[in-house]
């Protein structure tokens, strides 16, 4: 097809406005130019040579004529016979090379001077006239080259005519020869190429008389044969690919293992022509934990799947395969992710060629891929269901989602924001109320990583804290009195449920005593809690980090394990406490800047008396604006606690 496209481009470029050039025409013009140059060179050389030769002859003849004239004129000059001198000078002037003559006596007196023309003489010769050894006069003869020039012009005219005749003869002759021995074979070759380019690869160029053209024709015929073979192979491959695509759709459309195996058997018989195709399941292994049904034996014969009982299928399969020569049997294993499902046995009437054998292997490989895909789908569905349950359980532990919320009639006003980066995360919040102490315990933790394992840790901790909350609500004497005790309880739960996973957790426990107006903190490697202190009725809140009460990160092994201690400070009226995880301050903007600096700057602009909900919404709104074109790669937790009994609070 490329040849046809090139021919179309050539035809387009040789339209009415373009002159078409041919090899014969170019060769004719080239030969004409060469002949012209050769004639010009030869003519120039001949002209120069003949001109030089004629001038030399003129000089010789002039010298001879001058000598002859002096000898003839000696007697008349001596006798002073003017009539004879006139007659003799007239005779000499009849020569075409003589244009004039002058004779003087011994005294220098001009005796006679005659000229045929007054053109510049080509040659002037003066010779003495002697008589008896004495000089009796001098003869001067003027010679002309007009005859030579006339002769050369005739020669040039003849050469021009000969050159024109030669150019015409060469042009016509070469065109005729080129047309016969070059253009016609090339036209036949081009016509044959057009036929081949149109797709008729069976066309064959005839043999040519010229060896070179015949070799080109042979090469073109060989190319056509190769193209025909490749075209046939491409068509066969195209048909195989279409059938293979159908097989892929059929195999992958199977909704269970049985339908997948049936489609693989049918596709093998349809594509490769298997006369018998059977599937034998592998022995069920009790060590595998992969979900999925156990397949039954299958047999395909005469294009039909035989629905037999396992024992009947085995007997029928053995009988059918026994009729096939062992060299014409092919076996392939069907595997899933964690188990050997079974084996395909294919029987053919004759040995398979390599392409068909490769096609059979492709089909069985597709069956294995489809089997693995089914396994992934089953496992994904199972994990999705488990993840949904884990998400529901984890969200049920949040303060506003708990079945029993002890803070509905509390002294504290609480709001929070919880946003895991995945469906479940490692950040958690819990709030406890101690009516006997008129106190609130706020807890926030961050388990390393994200996922189901982390959600299990947070759920276990929440379960222990739920038990502790029930004890606080029902008992007269609170079971714990300090954040450090609760932090120790959380550490104990983490060590029991994490096992050998080496999971670690940062955790901060804050106790707000509304009776004594005190806040107590125990912090195991968590972000410092922030205390927002009022600075008047109209001034902004003053943020202050609580840096005391530090303890090691929970789950971190240490030979000198430091016991958690409590740090206490005042919690005046109008104050607000913030707890947050590192996911909040680590959120990045488009330019890569974290939210840490913008967070603390925003805290310093919040007016005194702003309620916890408004503080939370202000912080989260600023966080989303900061990270709108950036990235958030960690769970986000924010807990805001203030006194609900403070008067004059802003909405």
């Amino acid at each position: 097809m490329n040849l046809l496209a090139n021919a179309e481009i050539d035809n387009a470029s040789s339209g009415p406005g373009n002159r078409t050039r041919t090899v014969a025409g170019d060769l004719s013009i080239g030969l004409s130019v060469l002949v012209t140059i050769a004639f010009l060179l030869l003519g120039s050389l001949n002209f120069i040579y003949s001109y030089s030769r004629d001038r030399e002859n003129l000089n010789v003849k002039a010298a001879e004529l001058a000598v002859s004239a002096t000898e003839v004129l000696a007697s008349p000059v001596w006798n002073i016979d003017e009539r004879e001198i006139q007659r003799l000078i007239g005779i000499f002037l009849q020569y075409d090379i003589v244009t004039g003559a002058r004779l003087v006596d011994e005294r220098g007196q001009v005796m006679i001077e005659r000229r045929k023309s007054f053109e510049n003489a080509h040659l002037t010769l003066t010779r003495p006239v002697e008589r008896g050894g004495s000089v009796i006069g001098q003869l001067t003869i003027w010679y002309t080259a007009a005859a030579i020039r006339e002769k050369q012009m005739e020669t040039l005219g003849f050469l021009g005519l000969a050159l024109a005749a030669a150019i015409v003869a060469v042009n016509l002759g070469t065109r005729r020869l080129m047309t016969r021995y070059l253009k016609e074979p090339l036209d036949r070759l081009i016509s044959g190429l057009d036929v081949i380019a149109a797709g008729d690869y069976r066309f064959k160029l005839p043999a040519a008389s010229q060896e070179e053209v015949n070799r080109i024709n042979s090469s073109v015929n060989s190319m056509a044969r190769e193209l025909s073979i490749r075209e046939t192979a491409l068509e066969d491959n195209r048909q195989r690919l279409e059938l293979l695509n159908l097989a892929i759709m059929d195999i992958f459309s199977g909704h269970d293992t049985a339908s997948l195996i049936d489609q693989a058997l049918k596709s093998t018989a349809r594509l490769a022509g298997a006369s018998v195709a059977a599937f034998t399941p592998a022995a069920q292994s009790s060590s595998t934990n992969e979900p999925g049904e156990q397949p039954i034996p299958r047999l395909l014969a005469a294009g039909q799947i035989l629905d037999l009982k396992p024992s009947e299928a085995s007997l029928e399969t053995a009988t059918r395969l026994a009729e096939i020569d062992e060299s014409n049997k092919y076996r392939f294993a069907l595997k899933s992710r964690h188990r050997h499902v079974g084996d395909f046995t294919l029987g053919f009437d004759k040995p398979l060629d390599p392409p068909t054998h490769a096609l059979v292997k492709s089909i069985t490989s597709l069956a294995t891929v489809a089997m693995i895909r089914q396994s992934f789908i089953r496992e994904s569905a199972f994990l999705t269901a488990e993840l949904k349950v884990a998400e529901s359980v984890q969200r049920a532990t949040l303060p506003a989602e708990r079945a029993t919320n002890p803070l509905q009639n509390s002294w504290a006003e609480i709001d929070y924001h919880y946003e895991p980066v995945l469906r479940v995360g490692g950040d958690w919040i819990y709030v406890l109320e101690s009516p006997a102490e008129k106190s609130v315990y706020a807890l926030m933790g961050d388990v390393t990583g994200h996922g189901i394992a982390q959600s299990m840790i947070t759920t276990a901790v929440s379960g222990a804290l739920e038990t502790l909350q029930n004890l606080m609500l029902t008992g007269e004497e609170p079971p714990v009195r300090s954040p450090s005790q609760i932090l120790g309880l959380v550490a104990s739960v983490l060590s029991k449920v994490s096992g050998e996973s080496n999971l670690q957790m940062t955790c901060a426990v804050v106790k707000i005593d509304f009776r004594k107006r005190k806040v107590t903190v125990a912090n195991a490697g968590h972000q410092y809690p922030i205390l927002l202190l009022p600075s008047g009725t109209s001034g902004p809140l003053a943020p202050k980090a609580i840096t005391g009460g530090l303890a090691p990160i929970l789950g971190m092994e240490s030979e000198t394990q430091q016991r958690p201690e409590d740090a206490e400070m005042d919690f005046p009226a109008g104050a607000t406490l913030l707890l947050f995880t590192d996911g909040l301050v680590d959120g990045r903007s488009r330019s890569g800047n974290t939210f840490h600096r913008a967070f603390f700057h925003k805290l310093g602009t919040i007016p005194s008396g702003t309620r916890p909900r408004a503080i939370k919404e202000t912080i989260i709104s600023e966080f989303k604006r900061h990270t709108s074109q950036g990235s958030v790669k960690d769970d986000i937790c924010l807990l805001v606690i203030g006194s609900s009994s403070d008067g004059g609070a802003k909405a």
Side-chain angles (χ1 to χ4, degrees):
M1 299 302 293
N2 290 335
L3 295 174
L4 184 59
N6 292 335
E8 293 175 352
I9 294 174
D10 292 340
N11 292 333
S13 64
S14 60
N18 298 321
R19 182 179 178 183
T20 304
R21 295 176 57 181
T22 62
V23 176
D26 288 346
L27 287 175
S28 298
I29 294 173
L31 287 174
S32 299
V33 171
L34 290 177
V35 170
T36 302
I37 294 173
F39 262 89
L40 289 176
L41 290 175
L42 292 175
S44 299
L45 292 175
N46 180 68
F47 179 80
I48 294 172
Y49 171 75
S50 61
Y51 186 73
S52 299
R53 181 194 60 193
D54 290 344
R55 290 188 62 181
E56 184 67 27
N57 292 336
L58 175 62
N59 294 336
V60 173
K61 188 174 182 180
E64 292 177 353
L65 184 60
V67 172
S68 175
T70 56
E71 292 177 354
V72 172
L73 288 173
S75 179
V77 171
W78 175 260
N79 296 316
I80 313 176
D81 189 353
E82 293 182 1
R83 293 183 60 186
E84 185 66 16
I85 292 173
Q86 290 283 353
R87 187 181 68 80
L88 292 174
I89 292 298
I91 293 173
F92 284 113
L93 289 177
Q94 291 179 0
Y95 286 94
D96 57 355
I97 63 175
V98 178
T99 187
R102 183 176 61 186
L103 179 65
V104 298
D105 58 14
E106 68 274 9
R107 295 187 302 273
Q109 296 290 329
V110 177
M111 299 177 67
I112 187 173
E113 181 176 350
R114 293 178 62 181
R115 285 181 177 270
K116 290 193 297 185
S117 65
F118 290 93
E119 63 175 333
N120 293 330
H122 171 71
L123 179 65
T124 300
L125 294 179
T126 301
R127 294 289 185 268
V129 180
E130 296 179 353
R131 175 78 177 182
S134 298
V135 176
I136 60 174
Q138 284 189 342
L139 177 64
T140 301
I141 303 176
W142 292 281
Y143 299 92
T144 181
I148 297 176
R149 288 194 297 272
E150 184 179 354
K151 182 178 180 181
Q152 293 300 324
M153 293 303 297
E154 293 177 356
T155 302
L156 288 177
F158 173 76
L159 289 176
L161 293 175
L163 176 60
I167 291 174
V168 172
V170 169
N171 200 332
L172 295 177
T174 53
R175 280 186 176 274
R176 175 57 183 164
L177 293 175
M178 293 298 174
T179 300
R180 180 175 180 182
Y181 296 109
L182 183 62
K183 184 178 182 299
E184 292 177 357
L186 287 179
D187 287 343
R188 289 193 294 270
L189 176 61
I190 292 172
S191 299
L193 289 174
D194 290 339
V195 173
I196 295 172
D200 186 4
Y201 301 124
R202 295 173 298 178
F203 178 79
K204 185 177 181 181
L205 288 170
S209 57
Q210 297 92 346
E211 177 63 23
E212 296 81 358
V213 178
N214 192 48
R215 289 169 60 185
I216 295 175
N217 290 350
S218 299
S219 299
V220 171
N221 291 333
S222 299
M223 179 191 68
R225 287 194 299 271
E226 292 295 328
L227 288 175
S228 177
I229 294 173
R230 293 189 181 187
E231 185 77 11
T232 303
L234 286 174
E235 180 63 22
D236 292 342
N237 290 334
R238 186 187 64 79
Q239 294 178 359
R240 288 177 182 270
L241 284 176
E242 289 181 356
L243 294 175
L244 186 59
N245 288 334
L246 292 175
I248 293 173
M249 296 178 62
D250 292 340
I251 292 174
F252 278 87
S253 63
H255 60 279
D256 55 12
T257 302
S259 60
L260 186 152
I261 294 172
D262 288 349
Q263 292 297 342
L265 292 174
K266 291 179 180 179
S267 298
T268 304
R270 183 173 63 250
L271 289 176
S275 56
V276 178
F279 174 79
T280 305
Q284 180 69 20
S285 175
S286 60
S287 60
T288 179
N289 57 358
E290 180 181 356
E293 70 277 12
Q294 178 68 10
I296 62 174
R298 312 294 287 172
L299 176 64
L300 182 143
Q304 298 293 326
I305 298 291
L306 301 181
D307 190 9
L308 305 173
K309 296 180 180 180
S311 58
E312 296 175 350
S314 300
L315 180 60
E316 183 69 19
T317 300
T319 303
R320 294 296 182 94
L321 292 177
E323 301 173 357
I324 305 296
D325 188 85
E326 191 64 29
S327 61
N328 297 340
K329 295 179 183 177
Y330 297 89
R331 295 178 176 85
F332 301 96
L334 177 63
K335 298 180 179 180
S336 184
R337 294 183 61 204
H338 307 295
R339 61 179 176 137
H340 177 204
V341 181
D343 297 284
F344 288 104
T345 304
L346 311 175
F348 298 89
D349 296 333
K350 60 180 180 179
L352 295 182
D353 55 358
T356 306
H357 186 267
L359 186 62
V360 171
K361 291 186 66 176
S362 299
I363 295 173
T364 53
S365 298
L366 287 172
T368 297
V369 173
M371 191 69 199
I372 295 174
R373 173 177 171 271
Q374 283 190 3
S375 176
F376 271 116
I377 291 174
R378 287 191 291 265
E379 291 185 5
S380 298
F382 176 78
L383 290 176
T384 301
E386 293 294 314
L387 192 61
K388 185 175 181 180
V389 172
E391 181 183 16
S392 300
V393 172
Q394 189 175 47
R395 287 194 173 273
T397 63
L398 297 174
E401 304 291 339
R402 300 215 301 272
T404 303
N405 186 1
L407 300 172
Q408 293 176 352
N409 299 305
S410 178
W411 318 277
E413 183 177 349
I414 298 176
D415 211 327
Y416 68 92
H417 179 83
Y418 174 75
E419 185 179 343
V421 70
L422 302 177
R423 295 186 64 174
V424 293
D427 290 5
W428 57 276
I429 304 171
Y430 209 91
V431 179
L432 299 169
E433 180 184 10
S434 178
E437 297 178 306
K438 198 178 180 181
S439 299
V440 169
Y441 291 86
L443 293 88
M444 182 172 289
D446 184 358
V447 183
T448 54
H450 321 280
I452 295 179
Q454 286 72 20
S455 70
M456 293 173 62
I457 299 294
T458 62
T459 302
V461 172
S462 298
L465 295 176
E466 186 70 21
T467 302
L468 179 60
Q469 177 64 81
N470 292 331
L471 292 176
M472 287 182 175
L473 294 176
T474 58
E476 297 181 358
E477 186 70 19
V480 293
R481 289 184 176 273
S482 67
S484 59
Q485 289 180 304
I486 297 179
L487 193 61
L489 174 64
V490 173
S492 177
V493 173
L494 176 64
S495 64
K496 290 180 180 179
V497 299
S498 62
E500 298 180 357
S501 63
N502 295 324
L503 289 175
Q504 298 176 359
M505 179 197 299
T506 64
C507 183
V509 184
V510 180
K511 175 184 178 182
I512 302 177
D513 191 331
F514 291 95
R515 180 182 299 162
K516 297 180 181 180
R517 287 292 175 184
K518 295 289 184 180
V519 58
T520 309
V521 177
N523 190 343
H526 199 73
Q527 297 287 328
Y528 294 140
I530 302 296
L531 191 60
L532 301 178
L533 299 174
S535 58
T537 57
S538 59
L541 293 171
K544 181 179 181 181
I546 305 177
T547 59
L550 298 181
I553 296 176
L554 304 184
M556 181 181 294
E557 297 181 359
S558 175
E559 296 180 359
T560 58
Q561 186 72 24
Q562 179 182 351
R563 296 184 59 185
E565 297 181 358
D566 296 317
E568 185 179 79
M569 60 188 305
D570 293 334
F571 188 78
T576 305
L577 182 73
L578 297 183
L579 280 174
F580 55 93
T581 57
D582 55 1
L584 179 70
V585 293
D586 288 344
R588 294 185 178 273
S589 64
R590 182 178 183 181
S591 59
N593 297 323
T594 63
F595 184 60
H596 187 274
R597 184 182 297 274
F599 171 61
F600 282 95
H601 175 74
K602 193 65 178 179
L603 292 180
T605 63
I606 299 176
S608 297
T610 305
R611 288 194 172 185
R613 176 179 292 275
I615 293 175
K616 179 208 72 173
E617 291 176 350
T618 299
I619 295 173
I620 296 303
S621 176
E622 181 67 15
F623 173 80
K624 291 183 177 179
R625 186 196 66 78
H626 182 83
T627 60
S628 61
Q629 295 182 339
S631 61
V632 178
K633 299 181 179 180
D634 201 357
D635 304 332
I636 302 170
C637 276
L638 173 64
L639 180 64
V640 187
I641 305 177
S643 300
S644 62
S645 59
D646 292 337
K650 295 182 180 180

